[in-house]
C-alpha cells in the first residue's frame, strides 16, 4: 500500500523545489556564458573603443566632457538594468556597451595629456576642460588594477558568488557592474599600451591577446584551475582585444590601421551588436 502521508510530503517538497527554481529564474538578470556571449562581448568592447573615440576625438568633445557624458549614460543604463525584474538582453548589453565607451574615455583621460602625439594631425586641443591627467599607461593600469582588487576583495567579504549565472541579488549585481566598469577601463589601458607603446602595433596587440585567450580556453580543461578565475581573466582581456581591434579599424594606414573611420566602424559594429542582441532576446523569450 502507498503511504498517503509520504506522498504528500514528497509532493510538497517537489512543489517547493519547483517554486524556488522559478523564483531564481525570475530573479536571474545576467546571461549564460556561451560562445555567443563572448562574441557579443568582443563586439561591444570594440564598439566601445570606436564610439568613445568618435565622441572624444572625431567630434572633438575631448576626453573630459566625453567621460562625464558617458559616465552619466552608464548610470542611466545601469539604473534601468537594476530596476528590471529579469534578464533582458537589450538592457544587459546596453550597460556593457556604456561601460566600454565610458571605460575608453576614462582610460584616455587618465593616461594621456595635451601633447600632440595623442591628437590628430592639425588638432591643438580637444574640447573644454583638462585634456588629460597624463599618468601614462603603466601608472594608470596600476591604479585600475588596485581598484579592481579592492572591488573583488569587498565582493569576497560579502560571501556572494563570483559565478555570474548564480548572481540573483541586488547587492551582487551592483558589485558585478562595478567590476565590469573598472575592468573595461583597465582593458582599454592595456589595449592602448599594446597598440601605442609596446611596438606590437594594432594587429600585433590583437594577435597577442587572442593567443592568451586561447591559452585560457585550453586551461578550462585543467581541473586545478578554477573556471571562475579564467572567466574573469578572459573578461578583462576581451577589452584590450576590443581596444586594439577598434584602433586597427579606425587608425590611419600610416600608423598600421585600416583607416575606416570611427563613424563608419561604429555604425557597422552597432548593427552587428543590435542584430546579435535581437537574436539573444528571441532566444530568451523562447526559453521562457
Amino acid at each position: 500500500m502507498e503511504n498517503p502521508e509520504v506522498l504528500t510530503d514528497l509532493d510538497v517538497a517537489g512543489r517547493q523545489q519547483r517554486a524556488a527554481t522559478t523564483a531564481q529564474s525570475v530573479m536571474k538578470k545576467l546571461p549564460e556564458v556561451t560562445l555567443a556571449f563572448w562574441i557579443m562581448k568582443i563586439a561591444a568592447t570594440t564598439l566601445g573603443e570606436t564610439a568613445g573615440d568618435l565622441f572624444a576625438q572625431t567630434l572633438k568633445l575631448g576626453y573630459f566632457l566625453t567621460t562625464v557624458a558617458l559616465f552619466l549614460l552608464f548610470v542611466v543604463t545601469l539604473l534601468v538594468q537594476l530596476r528590471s525584474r529579469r534578464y533582458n538582453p537589450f538592457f544587459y548589453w546596453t550597460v556593457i556597451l556604456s561601460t566600454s565607451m565610458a571605460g575608453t574615455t576614462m582610460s584616455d583621460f587618465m593616461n594621456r595629456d595635451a601633447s600632440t602625439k595623442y591628437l590628430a594631425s592639425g588638432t591643438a586641443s580637444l574640447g573644454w576642460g583638462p585634456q588629460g591627467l597624463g599618468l601614462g599607461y603603466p601608472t594608470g593600469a596600476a591604479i585600475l588594477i588596485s581598484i579592481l582588487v579592492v572591488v573583488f576583495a569587498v565582493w569576497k567579504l560579502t560571501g556572494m558568488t563570483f559565478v555570474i549565472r548564480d548572481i540573483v541579488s541586488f547587492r551582487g549585481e551592483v558589485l558585478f557592474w562595478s567590476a565590469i566598469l573598472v575592468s573595461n577601463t583597465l582593458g582599454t589601458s592595456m589595449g592602448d599600451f599594446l597598440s601605442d607603446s609596446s611596438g606590437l602595433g594594432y594587429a600585433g596587440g590583437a594577435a597577442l591577446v587572442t593567443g592568451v585567450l586561447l591559452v585560457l580556453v585550453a586551461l578550462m580543461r585543467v581541473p586545478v584551475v578554477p573556471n571562475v578565475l579564467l572567466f574573469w581573466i578572459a573578461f578583462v582581456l576581451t577589452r584590450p582585444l576590443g581596444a586594439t581591434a577598434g584602433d586597427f579599424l579606425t587608425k590611419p594606414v600610416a600608423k598600421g590601421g585600416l583607416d575606416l573611420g570611427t563613424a563608419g566602424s561604429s555604425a557597422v559594429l552597432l548593427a552587428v551588436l543590435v542584430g546579435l542582441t535581437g537574436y539573444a532576446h528571441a532566444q530568451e523569450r523562447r526559453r521562457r
Side-chain angles (χ1 to χ4, degrees), residues 29-30 70-86 88 90-99 102 169-182:
K29 296 162 60 179
L30 302 177
L70 292 179
F71 185 81
L72 291 176
L73 176 64
F74 159 70
V75 172
V76 172
T77 58
L78 178 60
L79 290 175
V80 173
Q81 165 70 17
L82 292 175
R83 289 178 61 86
S84 175
R85 300 187 63 181
R86 62 176 62 188
N88 184 306
F90 284 105
F91 294 166
Y92 175 85
W93 289 107
T94 299
V95 185
I96 290 289
L97 177 57
S98 67
T99 61
S169 68
F170 177 85
R171 185 168 57 169
E173 197 177 359
V174 169
L175 288 168
F176 170 79
W177 287 115
S178 299
I180 297 305
L181 179 62
V182 178

Side-chain angles (χ1 to χ4, degrees), residues 4-18:
E5 293 183 358
V6 172
L7 290 176
T8 300
D9 291 342
L10 291 174
D11 184 56
V12 170
R15 288 181 180 180
Q16 289 176 342
Q17 183 177 6
R18 288 193 296 272

Side-chain angles (χ1 to χ4, degrees), residues 7-256:
L7 290 176
T8 300
D9 291 342
L10 291 174
D11 184 56
V12 170
R15 288 181 180 180
Q16 289 176 342
Q17 183 177 6
R18 288 193 296 272
T21 302
T22 302
Q24 185 175 17
S25 176
V26 171
M27 292 174 64
K28 181 179 174 182
K29 296 162 60 179
L30 302 177
E32 296 290 337
V33 180
T34 62
L35 178 61
F37 170 90
W38 291 113
I39 293 173
M40 295 174 72
K41 173 64 165 57
I42 294 171
T45 53
T46 306
L47 176 57
E49 178 72 17
T50 59
D53 288 346
L54 171 65
F55 291 118
Q57 298 178 21
T58 305
L59 299 180
K60 298 183 179 180
L61 297 178
Y63 303 130
F64 179 73
L65 285 179
T66 308
T67 294
V68 172
L70 292 179
F71 185 81
L72 291 176
L73 176 64
F74 159 70
V75 172
V76 172
T77 58
L78 178 60
L79 290 175
V80 173
Q81 165 70 17
L82 292 175
R83 289 178 61 86
S84 175
R85 300 187 63 181
R86 62 176 62 188
Y87 171 58
N88 184 306
F90 284 105
F91 294 166
Y92 175 85
W93 289 107
T94 299
V95 185
I96 290 289
L97 177 57
S98 67
T99 61
S100 298
M101 292 191 296
T104 295
T105 55
M106 288 167 64
S107 170
D108 289 344
F109 179 71
M110 289 178 61
N111 299 324
R112 299 181 177 183
D113 51 38
S115 59
T116 56
K117 67 179 180 179
Y118 296 122
L119 302 176
S121 178
T123 303
S125 62
L126 288 175
W128 177 86
Q131 298 298 296
L133 300 179
L135 299 177
Y137 298 126
T139 302
I143 293 172
L144 291 167
I145 289 172
S146 301
I147 296 173
L148 189 60
V149 168
V150 170
V151 172
F152 280 123
V154 172
W155 195 338
K156 178 69 174 178
L157 290 174
T158 64
M160 291 184 289
T161 179
F162 290 104
V163 182
I164 71 168
R165 67 172 178 268
D166 296 332
I167 297 174
V168 295
S169 68
F170 177 85
R171 185 168 57 169
E173 197 177 359
V174 169
L175 288 168
F176 170 79
W177 287 115
S178 299
I180 297 305
L181 179 62
V182 178
S183 66
N184 277 337
T185 309
L186 171 62
T188 303
S189 297
M190 294 169 62
D192 287 343
F193 171 77
L194 290 174
S195 299
D196 300 336
S197 304
S198 68
L200 294 173
Y202 306 124
L208 175 62
V209 177
T210 301
V212 176
L213 289 172
L214 291 176
V215 171
L216 294 179
V217 172
L219 287 175
M220 291 178 63
R221 299 183 178 275
V222 179
V224 296
V225 182
N227 280 350
V228 66
L229 175 62
L230 296 176
F231 166 82
W232 280 105
I233 296 174
F235 204 97
V236 172
L237 288 179
T238 51
R239 184 64 187 100
L241 176 59
T244 52
D247 285 339
F248 179 65
L249 291 173
T250 60
K251 299 302 182 183
V253 176
K255 292 185 177 181

